[in-house]
Amino acid sequence: MNQPNDPPTPREVSQPGASCPVLASHRDSGPMQNREADGKPARADPAERLRAVLDAAVDGILTIEETGRIESVNAAAARIFGYGVDELPGQNVSVLMPSPFREEHDGYLESYLATGEAKIIGVGRDVEGLRKDGTTFPMNLAVGEVRLPARRLFTGIVRDLTVQRAAEDAVAERDRQIRFMVEHLPAGAVYADRRTGAVLCNAAVERMTGRSRAELSTLDAWFSLLHGRAADAVQRSYEFDVGPDEMQVRTEEIVHADGSPRTVETARYRYDHHEVWFVRDVTEERRAAEAVRRERDFSRVLLDTTQACVTVVGPDAHIVRCNAAAERLRGERPGALNGRSWGDAFARGRGGPAASVLGGGRVEAALCSMTTRSGEHREMLWWGGLLGEAGPQGGAAVLIGSDVTELRRAQDRALRSERLAAIGETVAGLAHEGRNALQRARAGLDVVALDVPENRLPTLGKVAAALTDLTRLYEEVREYAAPVRLETGPLDLREVWRRAWRSAVEGENAVDSVRLEDGGAAGVSLVGDRLRLEQVFRNLFENAIAVSPPGGAVKVDTESSADSVAVRVTDEGPGLTEEQRTRAFEAFFTTKQRGAGLGLAISSRLSEAHGGALHAGRAPGGGAAFTLTLPLPASD
């Protein structure tokens, strides 16, 4: 028995065959005394205090006899296994174990008591527990042994791992999902530990490099195997490329295990000593881009150098894009045609080939007339088709045109040559007899004039004028039909047209009525036939004088390039109609009451014989403009 002054001890509970006190269930304890006799607060019974501590523990605590019978449990143990606190004491601890451990437990206990060979005592391990409702759950069990003077007790400390295992399983599942996702990414994924140099990579990296994960398990191996001789330089660059908490993207060349070069794009992100890389093989992408670039360059060079006009028009038949040849032909500055109606630019305001193509058809060798910005008439052949599939608003079309103006002129010249050949044969047959007949007629007229009364002389003058006109016509036809022969030499072009002007105004008696405004450049020297070029200018001046109003001006100006000079003669007359501009150089086409209509035709032939050309157009003020273009001698 305790002495009156001894500190309180846990209440002894008699146990069969035991002389040692053990903790009893709190339900076996009497009510706690709250006050001492003197009125002061009573000191708590140590057994009650210990029971309160045990019941406040988070882990379950059980005491078990040598027979396997449960002696006591705390509140946490009862709660973990789903029992009331009073239900477990006295039952065999195997009720808390699922099969087959339940059936084997007593044998384990008897073996230990007989041999003293401990297997689980003093060791914590994860096992399965069995709740009252028959469900199992994961728990951590730590078994201890308490040796008393007359007997032994075993203590079990139980921790419910259900929540922990659920969290671990969730983490494991997320980890499995992440691993699955990373492993099956189409791009390469790499983790690098800069502190240890370790590298982990996914299957895409293995396919991309031809190397196994084991081969690429370190940073040193990564750079040496994939960069060959450049490994040191690339690795040094890598060390400085990526800053903390920033993404660095770079494109680099690597060497595949089969020795072939590959281009990869690597995006690196660094946090502390960790790095994550995403690696993408862009070899084929780069090859495709290079092929596209070459095709684009080829197309650009082709468009820039071809002499054909290439135009792209939108569904509204307005120009989206055109090449330099189209702009040069039109006489436009770069980009000036974009947004313009195709018909206005190349078909004189009509839809023409563009309308046909956008209507769903194709155009092949469609002849279309156009007028340049300077008023020059050009003949074009067009080919066209749709670009891709037509959308809801229609499709775009490409039209490629070839300037056939010179070809058609050459065809006209060939046709004229055929006609001239026939005329030439006729003229050659008539030349001798015709000239003699005209000479005899003039001689006879001179004889008759001696005997004719003076009042009849005007009539003879008309006959003489008719003979002169007939002789002149004969000479023009003969000159037009005969081959052009030039006697070339160096000349000053300005002096040539000035001589032609003096000759023209004297012949037309227009010295006082029409003036020459000479704005041409001085000192233009070239090689040509002086008399033939003077003949060309005289014809242009005579035509200009004939249509100029009294007091009007005929203007001459020049424009030179590296290899040619253009002389433009303009007047202040009514100008030329479209038909007159088109047919100005046809033989026998004339708007004059006098003349055979061969002057401009002969002038055009003489210009071509000099390697140049003669064009008809419209003067800025509304009159006619004729431009003679002649080649300049090559500079040494």
Side-chain angles (χ1 to χ4, degrees):
M1 297 296 291
N2 293 332
Q3 297 300 318
N5 296 326
D6 288 340
T9 59
R11 183 166 57 89
E12 296 181 354
V13 178
S14 176
Q15 297 291 347
S19 60
C20 169
V22 296
L23 291 176
S25 168
H26 71 282
R27 294 181 183 274
D28 296 329
S29 302
M32 179 181 289
Q33 299 297 322
N34 294 326
R35 295 280 178 179
E36 295 288 353
D38 59 1
K40 294 181 179 180
R43 297 177 65 186
D45 183 353
E48 292 294 336
R49 187 165 62 246
L50 181 58
R51 168 55 59 186
V53 171
L54 292 176
D55 282 345
V58 176
D59 293 337
I61 303 174
L62 304 91
T63 58
I64 306 161
E65 298 176 353
E66 293 175 311
T67 61
R69 188 170 63 90
I70 299 172
E71 187 171 89
S72 67
V73 297
N74 70 345
R79 184 175 63 254
I80 289 172
F81 287 99
Y83 289 89
V85 175
D86 294 334
E87 292 184 84
L88 285 175
Q91 297 194 55
N92 192 294
V93 73
S94 63
V95 300
L96 305 179
M97 304 175 187
S99 295
F101 308 106
R102 174 188 298 179
E103 293 78 12
E104 298 172 350
H105 177 264
D106 289 345
Y108 294 152
L109 187 58
E110 292 173 359
S111 174
Y112 171 69
L113 293 174
T115 64
E117 182 179 349
K119 294 183 178 179
I120 64 171
I121 294 175
V123 179
R125 62 175 181 164
D126 293 344
V127 296
E128 279 195 336
L130 179 67
R131 292 192 176 95
K132 181 180 179 179
D133 62 5
T135 60
T136 60
F137 65 96
M139 68 180 189
N140 181 269
L141 173 63
V143 179
E145 182 180 6
V146 179
R147 291 182 180 269
L148 301 174
R151 65 177 182 142
R152 284 185 288 190
L153 290 177
F154 299 98
T155 61
I157 299 177
V158 177
R159 175 170 294 176
D160 187 351
L161 301 180
T162 302
V163 175
Q164 179 180 332
R165 286 292 177 84
E168 291 174 351
D169 289 346
V171 171
E173 176 61 19
R174 286 196 297 271
D175 184 65
R176 187 192 68 80
Q177 293 172 350
I178 291 172
R179 286 179 178 274
F180 180 85
M181 178 180 66
V182 171
E183 188 65 17
H184 293 84
L185 282 173
V190 179
Y191 166 78
D193 188 329
R194 291 173 58 83
R195 184 173 54 190
T196 65
V199 171
L200 299 174
C201 61
N202 67 350
V205 173
E206 293 182 310
R207 293 191 298 271
M208 192 182 307
T209 64
R211 303 284 184 179
S212 68
R213 301 171 204 221
E215 291 178 285
L216 301 174
S217 60
T218 67
L219 284 172
D220 290 341
W222 177 279
F223 288 109
S224 64
L225 291 175
L226 300 185
H227 294 281
R229 295 179 180 177
D232 291 341
V234 174
Q235 191 164 6
R236 284 195 300 271
S237 174
Y238 154 79
E239 296 294 336
F240 297 100
D241 265 356
V242 182
D245 300 324
E246 68 178 29
M247 181 76 72
Q248 176 70 38
V249 180
R250 64 184 295 170
T251 301
E252 55 195 5
E253 300 296 324
I254 65 171
V255 180
H256 192 271
D258 62 10
S260 62
R262 300 292 175 90
T263 304
V264 297
E265 184 180 81
T266 305
R268 295 189 175 105
Y269 179 79
R270 177 181 298 174
Y271 174 73
D272 195 12
H273 61 275
H274 307 285
E275 283 191 2
V276 176
W277 307 348
F278 288 98
V279 186
R280 191 165 63 93
D281 187 344
V282 295
T283 305
E284 296 304 321
E285 182 180 316
R286 288 300 177 91
R287 288 175 181 168
E290 178 62 20
V292 171
R293 186 192 63 78
R294 288 196 299 267
E295 287 295 325
R296 185 183 298 113
D297 289 346
F298 172 76
S299 299
R300 178 179 55 79
V301 172
L302 182 64
L303 289 175
D304 289 345
T305 58
T306 184
Q307 296 305 304
C309 297
V310 182
T311 60
V312 178
V313 297
D316 58 356
H318 283 68
I319 298 171
V320 175
R321 180 184 178 189
C322 64
N323 67 342
E327 292 169 339
R328 287 195 301 270
L329 181 68
R330 278 279 313 165
E332 304 282 357
R333 66 181 186 280
L337 289 175
N338 294 345
R340 292 268 303 276
S341 164
W342 191 93
D344 291 343
F346 294 102
R348 295 183 179 176
R350 295 185 291 273
S356 300
V357 173
L358 293 173
R362 291 182 61 86
V363 170
E364 294 184 2
L367 184 63
C368 185
S369 298
M370 63 167 285
T371 304
T372 67
R373 187 179 181 187
S374 63
E376 184 181 356
H377 171 74
R378 311 297 293 180
E379 296 288 334
M380 303 288 294
L381 283 179
W382 291 95
W383 289 259
L386 288 175
L387 283 175
E389 298 293 332
Q393 305 300 322
V398 59
L399 291 110
I400 302 175
S402 177
D403 185 358
V404 295
T405 307
E406 299 306 324
L407 174 62
R408 289 177 64 82
R409 288 173 179 172
Q411 292 173 339
D412 291 342
R413 288 194 297 270
L415 179 61
R416 288 198 302 269
S417 296
E418 293 179 4
R419 295 174 179 174
L420 290 176
I423 295 173
E425 292 179 3
T426 302
V427 170
L430 296 175
H432 180 70
E433 295 299 328
R435 186 179 294 108
N436 290 340
L438 288 173
Q439 290 176 352
R440 289 196 298 272
R442 180 168 291 279
L445 187 62
D446 291 340
V447 171
V448 171
L450 296 175
D451 299 329
V452 171
E454 187 173 349
N455 61 342
R456 297 292 186 180
L457 289 179
T459 302
L460 291 180
K462 293 180 181 179
V463 175
L467 289 176
T468 300
D469 290 342
L470 183 59
T471 301
R472 183 174 180 179
L473 176 60
Y474 170 79
E475 292 297 329
E476 287 182 353
V477 173
R478 184 185 63 80
E479 184 176 4
Y480 182 73
V484 177
R485 293 182 176 84
L486 302 179
E487 296 181 3
T488 61
L491 54 87
D492 184 322
L493 193 59
R494 191 178 192 186
E495 182 61 30
V496 171
W497 77 61
R498 286 187 169 182
R499 288 172 57 88
W501 173 258
R502 289 193 294 270
S503 176
V505 295
E506 291 173 359
E508 295 292 330
N509 296 319
V511 176
D512 298 325
S513 61
V514 180
R515 68 185 185 280
L516 175 67
E517 291 186 1
D518 190 350
V524 179
S525 300
L526 50 80
V527 176
D529 188 321
R530 184 185 304 273
L531 294 178
R532 293 293 196 176
L533 290 177
E534 188 176 324
Q535 181 180 351
V536 173
F537 282 114
R538 185 172 60 250
N539 185 272
L540 296 178
F541 289 148
E542 288 175 350
N543 291 339
I545 292 171
V547 297
S548 293
V554 176
K555 300 178 182 179
V556 177
D557 57 75
T558 59
E559 183 177 348
S560 298
S561 64
D563 55 1
S564 65
V565 60
V567 183
R568 185 169 63 171
V569 177
T570 59
D571 59 51
E572 297 178 351
L576 301 174
T577 65
E578 182 63 30
E579 180 187 13
Q580 289 171 344
R581 286 199 302 271
T582 303
R583 301 183 61 189
F585 304 107
E586 289 184 9
F588 305 110
F589 176 79
T590 182
T591 59
K592 299 179 181 180
Q593 295 180 351
R594 295 177 53 197
L598 291 174
L600 288 176
I602 294 173
S603 296
S604 179
R605 289 192 67 206
L606 293 177
S607 302
E608 293 168 1
H610 280 83
L614 185 60
H615 300 288
R618 182 183 296 107
F626 287 88
T627 303
L628 172 63
T629 304
L630 295 171
L632 292 174
S635 59
D636 296 334

